Amino acid sequence: MTAPYKAAALEPEAASPLILALPKGRILEECGPLLERAGIVPSPDYADESTRHMRFATNHPDLDVIRVRAFDVATFVAFGAAQIGICGSDVLMEFDYPEVYAPLDLGIAKCRVSVAEPAATAGSDDPSRWSRVRVATKYPNIARRHFADRGVQAEIVNLSGAMELAPGLGICRLIVDLVASGSTLRANNLVETAKIADVSSRLIVNRTALKTQPEAVGALIARFRAALAGG
Ligand code: ADP
Ligand code: MG
């Protein structure tokens, strides 16, 4: 099925739909009911994990959805590839893009960014007396800032998953990672020793898009605001 061809060359502004960037994985599942209440219905293959498509039409001819890695949602929105998106506040904290404006806390995918270390060494020594510490994380900026504020220089080991293994295998003293129930930490003999920040998912928009297309982008923000109020 092909969409009817639009006269894009004649009227580029009017003819290009807005793009909503959504993350694969956990947030995608949790934001389903919210999208529904916002009256946004992506084409059926959007929910099919096995599809190779990454861009989907919706019930609104002027809105398409793209499905990308959670970490990449903020990047697509910051560079204006998508005008609007949903991503975790952990990702916003890590990248701190000035082009990204986060008008709404969606209250979903709640967890926290924390420091964790092996139960065996936790509390054995006062972190404020360290000069440096080796930390495995996928949040190098959050981790560096957290320790710098305490006068400790963090040496970062960049991992994108399974950081819980790293201290036990001797490559770092600590990890900085997301914690929800704490069961992954417990299963790997780690304990949470400090909470850096609470995390939830946010609606984000590109500031320039909001300025240049205030009606269209503003109407989408209003849809999400109404969906939150009604939920
Ligand atoms: P990826 O595996 O691509 O890093 P995830 O689906 O694990 O993506 O995480 C994406 C986002 O979901 C995170 O940035 C965070 O905001 C949120 N999140 C991750 N883990 C949890 C959790 N255990 N509980 C609630 N939200 C979480
Ligand atoms: Mg994950």
Side-chain angles (χ1 to χ4, degrees):
M1 199 172 65
T2 33
Y5 185 76
K6 292 195 190 120
L10 296 178
E11 251 187 304
E13 296 301 330
S16 49
L18 290 183
I19 295 180
L20 167 65
L22 297 176
K24 301 182 212 180
R26 164 181 337 250
I27 296 177
L28 189 74
E29 288 165 26
E30 289 197 36
C31 75
L34 186 70
L35 285 182
E36 212 177 291
R37 283 199 304 275
I40 297 169
V41 186
S43 66
D45 56 339
Y46 157 85
D48 173 4
E49 294 277 348
S50 69
T51 182
R52 289 171 194 275
H53 293 148
M54 299 172 192
R55 179 169 176 161
F56 309 90
T58 71
N59 57 326
H60 301 276
D62 50 358
L63 181 69
D64 283 0
V65 165
I66 59 170
R67 208 170 62 186
V68 301
R69 291 290 302 263
F71 257 67
D72 296 336
V73 166
T75 307
F76 275 93
V77 172
F79 285 86
Q83 291 72 33
I84 190 160
I86 293 179
C87 83
S89 54
D90 50 322
V91 174
L92 298 179
M93 256 180 102
E94 177 61 23
F95 288 107
D96 202 19
Y97 285 121
E99 255 307 290
V100 170
Y101 166 53
L104 289 181
D105 185 343
L106 302 175
I108 56 171
K110 287 186 179 171
C111 54
R112 52 198 186 270
V113 194
S114 288
V115 180
E117 59 185 298
T121 54
S124 63
D125 156 19
D126 178 5
S128 66
R129 303 217 321 261
W130 304 342
S131 61
R132 54 175 58 210
V133 63
R134 180 142 1 127
V135 184
T137 187
K138 65 172 175 179
Y139 302 100
N141 294 322
I142 293 175
R144 232 181 256 118
R145 220 181 298 139
H146 171 79
F147 286 102
D149 288 348
R150 285 152 188 80
V152 179
Q153 189 189 334
E155 185 190 334
I156 305 294
V157 177
N158 270 294
L159 292 177
S160 48
M163 359 287 169
E164 292 86 355
L165 287 171
L169 296 175
I171 63 168
C172 60
R173 162 133 199 185
L174 306 168
I175 66 170
V176 166
D177 201 9
L178 297 178
V179 183
S181 66
S183 53
T184 309
L185 293 182
R186 268 192 301 282
N188 290 283
N189 302 314
L190 300 173
V191 292
E192 186 177 358
T193 50
K195 179 175 88 174
I196 300 178
D198 286 308
V199 169
S200 59
S201 291
R202 308 297 162 95
L203 186 74
I204 60 170
V205 297
N206 176 281
R207 288 185 193 277
T208 304
L210 184 57
K211 267 184 225 135
T212 56
Q213 304 169 83
E215 288 86 12
V217 176
L220 266 175
I221 298 173
R223 273 183 178 276
F224 279 98
R225 187 170 281 126
L228 279 180

